[in-house]
Amino acid sequence: MSNIRFDALKAAFEHRPAAVEVPEGKVKDYFAQNVFTREKMKEYISQDVLDQLFDDVDNGRTIHRDIAGVVAIGIRKWAMDHGATHFTHWFQPLTGGTAEKHDAFFTLGKSGELLEEFSGDSLYQQEPDASSFPSGGIRNTFEARGYSAWDPSSPVFLIGDTLCIPTVFVAYTGEALDYKTPLIRSTAVLCHAAREVCGLFDKTVKHVHANLGWEQEYFLVDESLYAARPDLMLTGRTLMGHGSAKSQQLEDHYFGAIPQRVLAFMRDLEYEALRAGIPVRTRHNEVAPNQFEMAPIYEDVNLANDHNLLVMSIMERVAEKHHFRVLLHEKPFAGVNGSGKHCNWSLETNTGVNLLAPGKNPYQNLQFVTFLVNVLMAVHRHNGLLKASIVSATNEHRLGANEAPPAIISVFLGKQISEVLDKLEHASAEEAIIINAKKEMKLGVSNIPEILLDNTDRNRTSPFAFTGNRFEFRAVGSSANCGAAMLALNAAVAEQLMMFKQEVDRRVEAGEPKERVLFDIIRNYIVACKAIRFEGNGYSEEWKQEAAKRGLDCETSAPLVIDRYLAEGTIRMFQSTGVLNEAELHSRSEVKWETYAKKLQIESRVLGDLVINHVLPAAKRYQTMLLNNVQTVKQVFSAEETASLNEMDYSIIRQIEHHSVAIFKGVEAMTEARHKANRQPDERSKAIAYHDNVLPLMADIRDHADSLELIVDDELWTLPKYRELMFIR
Ligand code: ADP
Ligand code: MG
């Protein structure tokens, strides 16, 4: 009898490190080789057109069609010079990931002749037949069509023979059907609001921009073993599997050398990423076996997000060459760490000042404290929304489990910054500001000018941590589009900064001295948002109770967390910042609920198949072997002797019976619960039914299957085990 697991193991052991195709030479020789950079544009497009284009892009203005037409011709020429035959509008649907539809660079003329064509129009805008992308009802209510339109702030690039044009994806009526559109809107409104606040400190600041540096975690699994696990193939995670005797307890993987076969993969991956203009710099092992991380140098939020999505697809492609599969799922294996995508976020002025870093003089430090405290206020007021922005069926397995992130959003500041805020809180205005004759300002209560941050002061259990010159939003899931989290954060901070500025202006106009007003408001803020600050262990039971007392959002059920998108304060905030209107918010939550229910539906079906088609047959086969053995033993040995000889067999036979019956009944109940869930009248109730009624049954079934894995003859077991999936490379 053949066993697919043994065939897979044999194939996996035969896989050797693949040859790496990185050319000799320096990174600068191939960095951004596949990108139509501003530098390269100069070769293909006239300077006056470029001046106009760059000016529009840099100031967030719409590109004129005539300009787009000329640029399109340059883009096509460059792409074809580099072997491109097709082009695609590359967009970010609400399902996650990216979508593309490829068209060839030619069309037929009137008399059937072949024309190489790529007009400004097709660069600028397309109408992909995208009716199957989720819109959460937007396109039913308004108008069936969806358009993709060029985002000129992100450069076009080549993947193989295809020119990729980053685009937004919107409905006919302008409602966003993607993540990119509101991300761009949120960045614009945030940067505007931040610049206004900067104006209180430094009139020379013309622009502020938001930066994102992501850290992408992932698992690698041998492709043969992957192919023998239907759950990995169809859901991206293992739905069952007993923990390996050795897993991450020694933490030896984290510090260990990167295995040769993985290193070969990483080097090819980095080469491809660098050629695509993604400035990847860091690679290392992560805590769990076969878990790794890559991180680039931070960039503008919108571009960084495009680059993250691009890297996720490059990874999958490169992995195939190395006989690996990349698991981007947040929790591919129970019992070991899951994967996240830390989003490092900061604000920077055109004068090169990082607004979230302590400055060189007292004035800059006051500015720093102002921005820091405004971020705290925004996170405090919208902690429920921020959680909603990262929640999903897949990330739910990390939330609330004993690993980052806890299902409660709080902010870690570190000892020094906490002390600064505490001192400011308790100082009187007179103590706080000493303005000398030269109008130079000093912070009397603390030596903020001397702030030298201690970077070792880290708290790994915090979902949102200040790390010296930026905030690190750690709750984002590894498979997510970071845009969802970033646009919520951007918008919340923008709203907060606008309110702050209004209050300052009002009081200064009424005749109060500016410095005094600033301190006064900051002090009030420090008091108002205290509940969001937490320096302790975010995983502890005490924190859950404490957080509830503080009024923080402690909901753990993903479908209910999604409700936060429709909270009154959320709708008001998104509307006042112009980032999302009410219809868009409704559509987003609909899509989230729908996706949640569908993912669970698939998982539940796959689990049913696995236990019925793999687990029970193996268990029954082994049980039959044991039963036969009992019979044979009886024939050979005396009754006294068989009593003890058969004891072990009987025990295992009974255990198999117990778990098999439980699995069988569990699957029946789960199928029934699923059917009930499917009959719910709306997406929200459906998602809730899956969460409340299907998920717990899946966990039960899994427990029994995992128990069987421990007792059934290894030779009969057809699914690669955890120790094989996680340790073979
Ligand atoms: P770690 O957080 O693990 O110590 P790093 O210091 O290497 O890792 O930084 C992680 C990420 O944070 C990288 O993508 C890096 O570019 C990014 N980063 C560093 N400084 C900033 C900043 N000021 N704004 C945004 N991202 C930043
Ligand atoms: Mg980090």
Side-chain angles (χ1 to χ4, degrees):
M1 189 187 63
S2 94
N3 178 327
I4 50 171
R5 175 167 146 247
F6 289 126
D7 295 343
L9 281 169
K10 186 159 176 290
F13 279 121
E14 277 164 10
H15 288 142
R16 295 273 160 263
V20 177
E21 277 165 49
V22 183
E24 298 277 320
K26 296 217 164 65
V27 170
K28 73 171 171 29
D29 298 339
Y30 52 81
F31 182 70
Q33 202 173 48
N34 294 338
V35 185
F36 197 39
T37 57
R38 286 193 173 190
E39 208 41 47
K40 287 180 206 161
M41 285 179 153
K42 290 182 188 155
E43 274 175 54
Y44 289 86
I45 300 165
S46 70
Q47 194 57 47
D48 50 327
V49 171
L50 286 185
D51 288 344
Q52 184 64 50
L53 177 74
F54 297 158
D55 194 46
D56 288 343
V57 169
D58 294 341
N59 291 294
R61 285 191 296 265
T62 315
I63 312 299
H64 195 279
R65 271 177 189 263
D66 296 345
I67 297 285
V70 180
V71 174
I73 293 166
I75 290 179
R76 184 190 63 197
K77 178 101 187 21
W78 169 77
M80 292 178 93
D81 282 354
H82 292 80
T85 54
H86 288 68
F87 69 97
T88 179
H89 273 197
W90 188 73
F91 59 100
Q92 305 172 14
L94 294 174
T95 33
T98 51
E100 37 195 88
K101 170 185 161 237
H102 296 211
D103 283 309
F105 272 132
F106 67 82
T107 184
L108 291 181
K110 285 200 181 71
S111 42
E113 76 282 18
L114 196 85
L115 299 173
E116 274 182 0
E117 193 199 50
F118 183 52
S119 68
D121 277 355
S122 50
L123 166 73
Y124 200 81
Q125 185 170 306
Q126 280 213 330
E127 191 183 334
D129 178 20
S131 50
S132 56
F133 286 106
S135 70
I138 277 189
R139 269 176 297 143
N140 304 337
T141 338
F142 296 89
E143 159 72 48
R145 284 176 289 176
Y147 289 96
S148 55
W150 182 33
D151 164 21
S153 65
S154 185
V156 302
F157 55 90
L158 288 170
I159 290 191
D161 60 6
T162 304
L163 168 71
C164 299
I165 302 166
T167 55
V168 295
F169 184 40
V170 293
Y172 178 65
T173 43
E175 267 90 3
L177 299 171
D178 67 349
Y179 285 112
K180 196 188 231 304
T181 309
L183 180 62
I184 293 174
R185 291 178 190 154
S186 74
T187 313
V189 66
L190 170 64
C191 293
H192 181 77
R195 197 198 60 198
E196 294 288 295
V197 172
C198 277
L200 296 168
F201 303 90
D202 181 356
K203 297 261 181 275
T204 65
V205 172
K206 294 272 175 292
H207 294 284
V208 173
H209 61 265
N211 291 319
L212 164 63
W214 42 263
E215 301 165 60
Q216 176 75 52
E217 293 179 332
Y218 60 95
F219 280 86
L220 287 175
V221 123
D222 181 89
E223 70 177 9
S224 309
L225 299 169
Y226 173 90
R229 289 285 311 214
D231 47 355
L232 277 182
M233 285 178 70
L234 299 178
T235 73
R237 72 171 178 118
T238 55
L239 297 172
M240 45 167 290
H242 200 281
S244 166
K246 175 182 193 288
S247 68
Q248 66 182 38
Q249 61 274 63
L250 298 176
E251 299 203 340
D252 47 354
H253 185 64
Y254 195 49
F255 301 106
I258 299 172
Q260 284 307 308
R261 204 174 138 205
V262 176
L263 199 57
F265 158 77
M266 284 179 169
R267 291 179 62 200
D268 270 342
L269 169 62
E270 282 167 357
Y271 174 58
E272 288 302 326
L274 288 163
R275 292 213 305 162
I278 307 169
V280 290
R281 195 170 60 171
T282 311
R283 60 173 169 214
H284 60 78
N285 288 350
E286 265 304 323
V287 178
N290 265 1
Q291 191 188 26
F292 307 93
E293 177 187 296
M294 86 184 294
I297 297 168
Y298 66 89
E299 300 174 285
D300 165 79
V301 174
N302 180 31
L303 182 61
N305 192 40
D306 281 359
H307 279 166
N308 177 245
L309 289 160
L310 185 53
V311 128
M312 293 201 283
S313 66
I314 294 177
M315 274 176 144
E316 288 177 351
R317 193 158 36 84
V318 174
E320 282 182 34
K321 180 189 148 193
H322 293 264
H323 302 291
F324 279 128
R325 287 306 159 115
V326 175
L327 306 180
L328 291 169
H329 194 290
E330 283 77 2
K331 195 77 184 175
F333 304 104
V336 297
N337 275 16
S339 300
K341 180 146 54 197
H342 295 180
C343 288
N344 294 269
W345 175 91
S346 66
L347 293 168
E348 194 180 322
T349 67
N350 64 310
T351 52
V353 173
N354 178 348
L355 295 169
L356 294 174
K360 294 192 183 67
N361 58 53
Y363 229 75
Q364 278 186 3
N365 272 325
L366 182 55
Q367 178 173 277
F368 158 65
V369 172
T370 300
F371 277 93
L372 182 91
V373 171
N374 272 290
V375 173
L376 291 182
M377 279 295 278
V379 176
H380 179 235
R381 297 189 27 244
H382 295 288
N383 70 89
L385 167 68
L386 287 175
K387 184 160 64 180
S389 77
I390 54 101
V391 85
S392 65
T394 53
N395 205 18
E396 193 180 26
H397 298 286
R398 280 170 81 224
L399 283 174
N402 228 6
E403 61 170 284
I408 300 160
I409 301 289
S410 65
V411 183
F412 170 82
L413 288 178
K415 193 157 160 275
Q416 282 167 303
I417 300 293
S418 298
E419 277 172 5
V420 169
L421 297 195
D422 291 345
K423 279 190 184 166
L424 282 174
E425 180 191 339
H426 295 109
S428 69
E430 285 65 32
E431 279 176 314
I433 331 166
I434 304 162
I435 301 174
N436 67 19
K438 276 193 257 162
K439 278 258 167 211
E440 199 181 284
M441 188 191 55
K442 270 202 190 116
L443 305 181
V445 289
S446 66
N447 52 348
I448 299 189
E450 316 295 322
I451 297 178
L452 272 178
L453 285 172
D454 173 11
N455 266 318
T456 56
D457 190 8
R458 296 276 180 113
N459 178 336
R460 296 275 163 205
T461 70
S462 177
F464 200 97
F466 181 68
T467 49
N469 60 1
R470 61 191 186 267
F471 279 98
E472 187 170 338
F473 194 4
R474 304 205 183 112
V476 183
S478 51
S479 71
N481 181 325
C482 332
M486 291 296 100
L487 74 90
L489 178 62
N490 286 349
V493 175
E495 179 205 40
Q496 176 58 44
L497 289 171
M498 288 176 348
M499 295 193 312
F500 172 78
K501 179 71 170 36
Q502 271 168 13
E503 193 179 344
V504 174
D505 287 352
R506 187 177 51 75
R507 289 175 57 173
V508 170
E509 269 161 35
E512 287 184 68
K514 189 171 81 180
E515 281 77 15
R516 203 194 170 96
V517 170
L518 289 173
F519 270 110
D520 202 38
I521 300 176
I522 288 172
R523 221 177 9 227
N524 292 343
Y525 280 2
I526 292 173
V527 175
C529 69
K530 226 179 217 174
I532 201 71
R533 282 162 55 192
F534 180 60
E535 304 286 304
N537 178 3
Y539 305 157
S540 67
E541 203 44 50
E542 300 83 73
W543 169 232
K544 283 183 200 159
Q545 287 160 17
E546 165 70 15
K549 264 193 238 149
R550 292 189 189 184
L552 296 179
D553 194 311
C554 298
E555 183 55 60
T556 56
S557 154
L560 295 180
V561 171
I562 295 168
D563 282 345
R564 310 301 183 251
Y565 272 110
L566 300 173
E568 216 182 293
T570 307
I571 295 177
R572 203 178 327 116
M573 181 278 282
F574 275 125
Q575 241 157 10
S576 73
T577 50
V579 172
L580 289 167
N581 63 29
E582 204 170 335
E584 288 170 322
L585 284 168
H586 275 282
S587 87
R588 256 146 238 268
S589 17
E590 286 291 306
V591 172
K592 281 216 169 205
W593 284 314
E594 188 184 332
T595 311
Y596 183 91
K598 279 188 179 155
K599 288 213 165 149
L600 258 70
Q601 182 183 41
I602 294 170
E603 286 193 349
S604 156
R605 284 178 178 163
V606 172
L607 179 65
D609 288 352
L610 276 188
V611 290
I612 299 292
N613 301 329
H614 288 255
V615 175
L616 290 187
K620 287 284 134 185
R621 215 174 282 146
Y622 185 48
Q623 196 185 35
T624 309
M625 278 165 60
L626 294 175
L627 285 165
N628 291 340
N629 189 49
V630 169
Q631 293 296 339
T632 319
V633 165
K634 270 187 183 155
Q635 286 163 17
V636 177
F637 295 97
S638 70
E640 281 140 32
E641 283 170 313
T642 50
S644 60
L645 271 174
N646 278 330
E647 208 171 297
M648 181 191 89
D649 285 347
Y650 283 136
S651 158
I652 298 181
I653 290 166
R654 282 204 193 91
Q655 285 180 52
I656 291 178
E657 199 53 29
H658 164 72
H659 294 304
S660 303
V661 170
I663 286 176
F664 187 74
K665 288 198 171 146
V667 171
E668 272 186 347
M670 178 177 73
T671 310
E672 178 54 32
R674 209 164 62 214
H675 292 166
K676 245 192 195 152
N678 294 340
R679 286 197 297 270
Q680 294 298 314
D682 56 76
E683 298 302 336
R684 181 176 179 274
S685 339
K686 220 182 264 183
I688 292 173
Y690 267 101
H691 175 274
D692 293 354
N693 306 329
V694 178
L695 206 51
L697 289 170
M698 288 175 63
D700 279 352
I701 296 171
R702 181 200 176 126
D703 274 350
H704 290 290
D706 290 353
S707 300
L708 284 176
E709 185 184 319
L710 273 191
I711 39 183
V712 170
D713 182 359
D714 188 64
E715 275 196 44
L716 299 176
W717 202 258
T718 56
L719 297 163
K721 297 183 172 181
Y722 267 28
R723 59 167 187 262
E724 294 150 357
L725 293 168
M726 288 197 292
F727 286 94
I728 294 177
R729 54 212 170 202

Short mmCIF file of all heavy atoms in Angstrom, two decimals, residues 213 215 293 342-344 458 460 467 470 472 474, ligand 2:
data_model
loop_
_atom_site.label_atom_id
_atom_site.label_comp_id
_atom_site.label_asym_id
_atom_site.label_seq_id
_atom_site.Cartn_x
_atom_site.Cartn_y
_atom_site.Cartn_z
N GLY A 213 7.49 51.45 7.35
CA GLY A 213 8.50 50.39 7.19
C GLY A 213 7.87 49.11 7.71
O GLY A 213 7.60 49.01 8.90
N GLU A 215 7.59 44.93 8.40
CA GLU A 215 8.42 43.74 8.65
C GLU A 215 7.52 42.55 8.37
O GLU A 215 6.55 42.33 9.07
CB GLU A 215 8.90 43.71 10.10
CG GLU A 215 9.71 44.95 10.49
CD GLU A 215 9.85 45.08 12.01
OE1 GLU A 215 10.40 44.16 12.62
OE2 GLU A 215 9.38 46.08 12.55
N GLU A 293 11.69 36.34 8.54
CA GLU A 293 11.19 37.71 8.38
C GLU A 293 12.03 38.46 7.36
O GLU A 293 13.23 38.23 7.26
CB GLU A 293 11.26 38.45 9.72
CG GLU A 293 10.82 39.91 9.62
CD GLU A 293 11.05 40.71 10.89
OE1 GLU A 293 10.43 40.37 11.90
OE2 GLU A 293 11.85 41.65 10.84
N HIS A 342 4.65 43.82 11.29
CA HIS A 342 4.79 45.06 12.06
C HIS A 342 4.82 46.23 11.10
O HIS A 342 5.58 46.22 10.13
CB HIS A 342 6.09 45.02 12.86
CG HIS A 342 6.11 43.95 13.91
ND1 HIS A 342 7.17 43.74 14.74
CD2 HIS A 342 5.17 43.05 14.26
CE1 HIS A 342 6.90 42.74 15.56
NE2 HIS A 342 5.69 42.30 15.29
N CYS A 343 3.99 47.23 11.39
CA CYS A 343 3.98 48.42 10.55
C CYS A 343 4.61 49.57 11.33
O CYS A 343 4.02 50.10 12.26
CB CYS A 343 2.56 48.77 10.14
SG CYS A 343 1.89 47.63 8.92
N ASN A 344 5.83 49.94 10.96
CA ASN A 344 6.54 51.05 11.59
C ASN A 344 6.12 52.33 10.88
O ASN A 344 6.30 52.46 9.66
CB ASN A 344 8.05 50.86 11.46
CG ASN A 344 8.53 49.66 12.26
OD1 ASN A 344 8.90 49.79 13.41
ND2 ASN A 344 8.51 48.49 11.64
N ARG A 458 12.12 47.77 25.25
CA ARG A 458 11.09 47.25 24.35
C ARG A 458 10.11 46.40 25.12
O ARG A 458 10.46 45.72 26.07
CB ARG A 458 11.73 46.36 23.26
CG ARG A 458 12.68 47.06 22.33
CD ARG A 458 11.90 47.72 21.23
NE ARG A 458 12.78 48.41 20.30
CZ ARG A 458 12.96 48.04 19.04
NH1 ARG A 458 12.39 46.94 18.60
NH2 ARG A 458 13.72 48.74 18.24
N ARG A 460 7.58 43.52 24.02
CA ARG A 460 7.13 42.71 22.88
C ARG A 460 5.64 42.35 22.96
O ARG A 460 5.09 41.82 22.02
CB ARG A 460 7.97 41.43 22.79
CG ARG A 460 9.43 41.67 22.51
CD ARG A 460 9.67 41.82 21.01
NE ARG A 460 10.97 42.44 20.77
CZ ARG A 460 11.27 43.12 19.69
NH1 ARG A 460 10.39 43.30 18.74
NH2 ARG A 460 12.47 43.64 19.54
N THR A 467 8.83 53.27 19.49
CA THR A 467 10.16 52.65 19.46
C THR A 467 11.25 53.69 19.16
O THR A 467 12.12 53.48 18.34
CB THR A 467 10.25 51.49 18.45
OG1 THR A 467 9.70 51.94 17.21
CG2 THR A 467 9.49 50.28 18.92
N ARG A 470 9.41 56.34 16.08
CA ARG A 470 8.26 55.91 15.29
C ARG A 470 7.33 55.08 16.17
O ARG A 470 7.73 54.65 17.25
CB ARG A 470 8.72 55.04 14.13
CG ARG A 470 9.44 53.76 14.61
CD ARG A 470 10.11 53.05 13.45
NE ARG A 470 10.68 51.78 13.80
CZ ARG A 470 11.94 51.59 14.18
NH1 ARG A 470 12.75 52.62 14.30
NH2 ARG A 470 12.38 50.38 14.44
N GLU A 472 5.16 51.54 16.25
CA GLU A 472 5.17 50.25 15.59
C GLU A 472 3.83 49.56 15.87
O GLU A 472 3.56 49.16 17.00
CB GLU A 472 6.34 49.43 16.14
CG GLU A 472 6.56 48.14 15.42
CD GLU A 472 7.88 47.47 15.84
OE1 GLU A 472 8.79 48.16 16.34
OE2 GLU A 472 7.98 46.25 15.68
N ARG A 474 1.92 46.54 15.76
CA ARG A 474 2.35 45.15 15.61
C ARG A 474 1.21 44.18 15.41
O ARG A 474 1.42 42.99 15.21
CB ARG A 474 3.10 44.71 16.87
CG ARG A 474 4.27 45.59 17.23
CD ARG A 474 5.25 44.78 18.05
NE ARG A 474 6.36 45.59 18.48
CZ ARG A 474 6.58 45.92 19.75
NH1 ARG A 474 5.76 45.50 20.70
NH2 ARG A 474 7.62 46.64 20.07
MG MG B 2 10.19 45.95 14.70
#
